[in-house]
């Protein structure tokens, strides 16, 4: 284990791993996860729907001819990763995973393939210039690229200007690139349950900022061409046979989801 991993405080990636049923977490992460589960026992279902959206979105974007993916805030390796979904469509697609947590880097070898089509860099969404400079070692950002921000922006506070960081990332890629985004929300909860979850997350040392549909649309989608069916629940985005559940059910979502295309410089 790298020396700079702090196991005294819960970390978003490790708590998420716990909620997904993973094993790369510590007692402090499980305690934080259990607090969340006490008020929102459906959270693991939300996490699985979010992962299913990621796979559908990557498959769609790869089907549009995109062969470069910049996956930011990827978290710990789990089943059905971005490169697996992309390679089902195009085995030569290149994927760069980005995370700032050293434990994620410690597990990077689980994702790197012998063909050299995947890479892992340690960087932070809140430092887009540095992130992009690192990514350009593996990707040609002059060519259309999928910028993936799946379940990461709700860990960025308003005063950290997440909309500016997203704009910097999109400004760095050409017309024809895509944004793949999902974001946690309280919109699908009744007010009492939303307050209970907000209180638990607000008392945690982890950063969490749920946003409404309107906030997400205004902050991150301005100037982009939103792909059908639009900004919808993860359970509603191009749901297919075999996905979790037999029909869309927004109470099982917990995240808004969208794929959008850059159509002008």
């Amino acid at each position: 284990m790298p020396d700079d991993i702090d196991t005294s405080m819960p970390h978003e990636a490790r708590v998420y791993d716990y909620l997904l049923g993973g094993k790369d977490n510590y007692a402090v992460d499980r305690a934080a996860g259990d607090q969340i589960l006490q008020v929102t026992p459906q959270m693991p279902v939300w996490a699985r729907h979010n992962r299913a959206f990621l796979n559908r979105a990557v498959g769609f974007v790869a089907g549009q001819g995109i062969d470069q993916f910049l996956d930011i805030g990827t978290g710990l390796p789990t089943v059905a990763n971005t490169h697996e979904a992309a390679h089902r469509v195009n085995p030569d697609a290149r994927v760069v995973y980005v995370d700032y947590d050293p434990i994620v880097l410690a597990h990077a070898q689980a994702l790197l393939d012998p063909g050299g089509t995947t890479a892992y860099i340690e960087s932070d969404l809140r430092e887009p210039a540095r992130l992009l400079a690192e990514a350009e070692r593996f990707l040609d950002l002059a060519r259309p690229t999928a910028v993936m921000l799946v379940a990461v922006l709700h860990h960025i506070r308003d005063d950290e200007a997440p909309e500016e960081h997203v704009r910097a990332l999109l400004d760095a890629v050409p017309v024809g690139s895509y944004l793949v985004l999902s974001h946690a929300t309280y919109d699908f909860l009744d007010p009492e349950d939303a307050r209970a979850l907000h209180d638990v997350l607000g008392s945690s040392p982890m950063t969490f900022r749920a946003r409404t549909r309107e906030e997400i649309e205004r902050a991150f989608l301005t100037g982009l061409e939103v792909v059908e069916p639009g900004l919808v629940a993860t359970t509603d985005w191009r749901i297919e046979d075999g996905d979790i559940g037999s029909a869309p059910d927004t109470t099982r979502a917990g995240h808004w989801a969208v794929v959008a295309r850059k159509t002008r410089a």
Side-chain angles (χ1 to χ4, degrees), residues 18-170:
Y18 173 61
L19 294 173
L20 278 170
K23 58 181 176 58
D24 297 309
N25 48 73
Y26 300 96
V28 66
D29 307 305
R30 294 188 286 274
D34 288 341
Q35 280 189 303
I36 294 170
L37 292 173
Q38 284 179 6
V39 297
T40 314
Q42 66 269 42
M43 188 70 78
V45 177
W46 294 359
R48 291 195 295 272
H49 273 296
N50 185 67
R51 177 61 53 165
F53 158 71
L54 179 150
N55 273 262
R56 294 196 302 275
V58 170
F60 168 80
V61 172
Q64 305 308 301
I66 299 297
D67 61 1
Q68 298 190 125
F69 295 81
L70 182 58
D71 187 344
I72 302 169
T74 181
L76 287 159
T78 185
V79 296
N81 286 290
T82 297
H83 72 281
E84 294 169 320
H87 288 168
R88 282 195 291 271
V89 179
N90 179 358
D92 296 322
R94 297 179 66 82
V95 178
V96 170
Y97 292 101
V98 183
D99 207 288
Y100 71 93
D101 183 13
I103 196 172
V104 174
L105 269 293
H107 288 268
Q109 286 302 122
L111 290 179
L112 300 180
D113 67 287
T117 60
T118 60
Y120 228 115
I121 61 175
E122 184 176 4
S123 198
D124 194 324
L125 168 59
R126 291 163 291 198
E127 298 177 353
R130 176 175 174 269
L131 187 160
L132 289 163
E134 289 286 315
E136 284 184 313
R137 295 165 50 202
F138 305 98
L139 301 177
D140 178 3
L141 297 182
R143 297 177 53 245
T145 302
V147 176
M148 300 186 57
L149 297 167
V150 176
V152 63
L153 288 168
H154 48 253
H155 297 304
I156 308 294
R157 302 189 310 267
D158 289 344
D159 63 1
E160 294 176 307
E163 68 283 357
E164 294 180 14
H165 303 325
V166 173
R167 179 51 52 194
L169 293 169
L170 293 175

Side-chain angles (χ1 to χ4, degrees), residues 167-188:
R167 179 51 52 194
L169 293 169
L170 293 175
D171 284 347
V173 295
V175 168
S177 296
Y178 283 82
L179 172 67
V180 177
L181 180 151
S182 69
H183 197 299
T185 186
Y186 298 143
D187 288 353
F188 306 124

